[in-house]
Amino acid sequence: AQTVTQSQPEMSVQEAETVTLSCTYDTSENNYYLFWYKQPPSRQMILVIRQEAYKQQNATENRFSVNFQKAAKSFSLKISDSQLGDTAMYFCAFGPNFGNEKLTFGTGTRLTIIP
Amino acid sequence: DTGVSQNPRHKITKRGQNVTFRCDPISEHNRLYWYRQTLGQGPEFLTYFQNEAQLEKSRLLSDRFSAERPKGSFSTLEIQRTEQGDSAMYLCASSLQGTDTEAFFGQGTRLTVV
C-alpha cells in the first residue's frame, strides 16, 4: 500500500515571494504518477501539476514547479511569485500506473498568501 | 460540459436516517470515483467504477454504504442508518481510463449527521 506524508500542516508567505511545500511518499511500485492538487475554500479540487515517475525532468506549469527525487521518494512543490489566489489547501497525491486510477492523498498543507 | 456535478451540496440528516448522493461525471469519462474527506484530512478512496462495473471498494466502505452506476453514467452513493462518524465531505471524481489524463473532481456533498 502507498502512503503520502505532508509534514507542514500550515504555511504562510508574503505575496510575490516563493514558497515550497514538502511531500514524501512510500511505494514499492516502479511506474506511477505524483500530483499536487489545490483545494480553495469551498471550491472543488483542481490539479496544479503532475509528474510521471519515469521522467527524470521535473514538471513545470507557469509559476508552479516540482522537485522530484525518486530515490528519496520526495516530491516538493515550489510556487514562485505567489499570488493571493494561491491561498488554498494543497494536497500531494500518488496515483498508480497511468495515474488516473484511485489516488492516495496526503493530509494537506494550508497555504496562506499574505498581502 | 461543465465538469463533475454533485448533488446535493449540503445534507443535514438525523442519526439513523438513510441518505443518497448523486454524482454526474464528465460525459465522456468512463471511470468514476468516490472519496470521503473529513476535517483536516486528505480525501480517502471509497470505491470506483469503470463504466457500470464497480471494480474496487475500500475497507472504509462498510456494509451500510452502497454505490451504483447503473448505466455507466451518473452514480449514487447511499448511506443507510447514518452515524455521526459519517459526517464528512463526499467527493466524486471522473477520468478516462488508460489515458494520460487527470481526474476531475466535483465540489462535493457535505454531510452532517446530527
Side-chain angles (χ1 to χ4, degrees):
Chain A
Q2 290 73 228
T3 59
V4 177
T5 302
Q6 294 179 251
S7 58
Q8 304 154 311
E10 294 187 25
M11 295 188 72
S12 60
V13 65
Q14 292 288 138
E15 189 177 6
E17 291 186 347
T18 295
V19 61
T20 299
L21 279 57
S22 301
C23 173
T24 58
Y25 63 94
D26 192 22
T27 183
S28 57
E29 301 194 26
N30 197 41
N31 295 321
Y32 52 89
Y33 283 68
L34 295 164
F35 306 84
W36 280 98
Y37 275 89
K38 170 185 177 181
Q39 189 176 42
S42 302
R43 294 182 61 186
Q44 69 214 81
M45 200 164 328
I46 57 174
L47 180 67
V48 174
I49 198 166
R50 173 178 59 192
Q51 175 77 42
E52 296 143 87
Y54 65 89
K55 288 188 177 179
Q56 292 184 334
Q57 186 174 7
N58 288 325
T60 62
E61 288 287 344
N62 301 315
R63 299 183 294 107
F64 299 88
S65 61
V66 299
N67 183 3
F68 172 49
Q69 302 289 327
K70 190 173 183 180
K73 295 180 179 174
S74 170
F75 182 63
S76 61
L77 173 69
K78 185 171 83 171
I79 305 174
S80 303
D81 185 27
S82 55
Q83 301 175 359
L84 296 180
D86 296 334
T87 293
M89 282 290 291
Y90 286 81
F91 292 98
C92 179
F94 173 100
N97 302 322
F98 287 107
N100 59 12
E101 296 176 13
K102 65 178 186 179
L103 299 174
T104 300
F105 288 86
T107 51
T109 295
R110 183 177 303 279
L111 176 65
T112 302
I113 308 301
I114 303 166
Chain B
D1 197 337
T2 56
V4 179
S5 176
Q6 291 189 248
N7 288 288
R9 293 289 309 280
H10 303 274
K11 178 71 176 178
I12 301 174
T13 190
K14 292 183 178 180
R15 189 175 52 186
Q17 298 294 305
N18 299 343
V19 293
T20 300
F21 311 139
R22 176 176 170 131
C23 172
D24 288 271
I26 293 172
S27 57
E28 64 267 28
H29 285 181
N30 60 344
R31 283 199 169 179
L32 186 148
Y33 312 79
W34 286 100
Y35 292 85
R36 181 173 70 186
Q37 185 178 19
T38 54
L39 202 61
Q41 299 296 317
E44 296 174 291
F45 170 79
L46 292 178
T47 187
Y48 89 95
F49 294 83
Q50 182 168 304
N51 301 311
E52 66 275 11
Q54 189 172 16
L55 295 188
E56 187 171 348
K57 293 193 293 186
S58 163
R59 53 183 163 76
L60 293 175
L61 213 65
S62 76
D63 56 7
R64 296 184 298 106
F65 288 69
S66 62
E68 294 183 343
R69 195 183 182 197
K71 297 183 180 178
S73 56
F74 73 91
S75 175
T76 58
L77 178 68
E78 181 183 16
I79 308 174
Q80 295 182 328
R81 305 180 304 279
T82 52
E83 302 173 355
Q84 285 189 321
D86 297 331
S87 295
M89 177 75 84
Y90 289 85
L91 298 172
C92 176
S94 69
S95 70
L96 273 173
Q97 175 227 350
T99 61
D100 189 18
T101 61
E102 67 194 77
F104 290 82
F105 283 80
Q107 290 187 284
T109 294
R110 181 168 296 285
L111 172 67
T112 302
V113 181
V114 297

